[in-house]
Amino acid sequence: MTDLKRTVLFDLHGELGGKIVPFAGYEMPVQYPMGVMKEHLFTRAHAGLFDVSHMGQILMTAKSGRVEDAALALERLVPVDILGLKEGRQRYALFTNDNGGIQDDLMVANRGDHLFLVVNAACKDADFAHLKAHLGADCDIGMVEDRALVALQGPEAETALARLVPDVVEMAFMDVAIRHWDSAELWISRSGYTGEDGFEISVPNKFAESFVRRLLDMEEVAPIGLGARDSLRLEAGMCLYGHDIDEGTSPVEGNLTWAIQKARRDGGAREGGFPGAGRILKELAEGPSRRRVGLRPEGRAPMREGTEVFAGPEGGDPIGKITSGGFGPSIEAPMAMAYLPADLAEGTTVYGEVRGKRLPAVIAPMPFQPNRYKR
Amino acid sequence: MKYTEDHEWLRVEGDHVVVGITDHASEQLGDVVFVELPEPGTSVSKGDEIVVIESVKAASDIAAPLDGEIVEVNSDVADNPGMVNEDPTGKAWFFKMKVADLSALDGLMDEAAYKEMIG
């Protein structure tokens, strides 16, 4: 509990009645007086505002000055086509390790002459050191320390943000742009982690509170805590690093093969060349032995992280484990993610052991809640 | 009403005791999404975990506050767990029990003592 850090919006969270908990080394609001359930539903109906300033913002510029060189450098650490990422666009990526596991997941944006990365709070120092150690000879790599990051998520996010920055309406899902609000330079992406349309906005620390207050003054917008952020991302089928994916799970096991573009696969223009490529390319070709899947428990009882999963209602050894689980306020039912043998098809009934009882759950497609991005 | 250290309230109704959780407990739990109740007719000992409450955050157990027998459970709460947040000390009672000795309630906290405990 010592040495917890605070984001620049900490005092505002207190003023708004946020319940503060330690998270990834920060004191962060887990919920506001509205409560997790209502905050979740508010975000899906209107626009939720999340403080994600604890996440790492990293700038990466090639010493040659060419963004292509920064992209090629980063490709040495991720199994993702960064060179093919166009200016003004963002893409999901993964830092892999030599064993083919995942060191972190991140967003990468091409901003014309450099790359902008957003990484998880708990991993940001390690990610920064990793980038410096492997790419420092070719690239200038800097952690952005003077900016907050907020996410505005939900069907009314565009209406709300457009009052301050009118031309965000022209952005499509995964576009990035730099825009001004008064004298503040905003780094905006049309993305998020809720499955809803929305934006992530990097704002200079000194303007962060006034910017957030302007948004919160709008009737479409309410502050949302980490509790609802978790249930929203789980309904959207998205991984939480350290839970659903980690150093021991490969991107193929994690069901993230969509993040590995053709250029980096066998026969691609820049095949392999990332940490753990041997295992990852082999799993792509032959299939993994286990895979992250969605589970829909049949009753109302949630199956939480750590719940062991069995093939049958009695006997046998566990066949896997739940990595995230809870209740989905929008789907009005429990939901979970688990690692299970890859040969089990969707629709198969398995059994989660909850308080000594085996309860049925069906392997189900994700997302649990359809996403609503603006393509 | 009487109160336990586990944030249950007990109300005597004839020769039965009605049991639920306090406003304070309901607030601490957050939005309740699942409640599992015991079978009527179950004999219980003080401290037996007989009710499971799952909120959006976590699972908690409710223990039998006294020795006795469950005579009735509130199936409305199992069907509509949100009641626990809306009306924890009224409509969202969990179960009624027959206790061998009603004087056992004398050992529990009264409202003033409970309020002091939760601060």
Side-chain angles (χ1 to χ4, degrees), chain A residues 19 30-31 34-38 299-304 326-327 329 354-355 357 359, chain B residues 27-28 30-34 36 52 54-59 61 78-82:
Chain A
K19 185 178 165 192
V30 67
Q31 64 172 83
M34 202 192 288
V36 175
M37 186 95 88
K38 290 201 182 84
R300 279 187 69 94
M303 295 181 183
R304 307 278 179 183
F327 188 84
V354 181
R355 294 177 285 273
K357 274 184 276 188
L359 305 176
Chain B
E27 279 167 31
Q28 294 297 312
D31 304 296
V32 174
V33 297
F34 172 77
E36 188 177 272
V52 175
E54 295 253 10
S55 75
V56 286
K57 294 176 206 159
D61 297 302
D79 295 340
N80 180 14

Side-chain angles (χ1 to χ4, degrees), chain A residues 169 219 309:
Chain A
V169 300
E219 66 175 331
V309 180

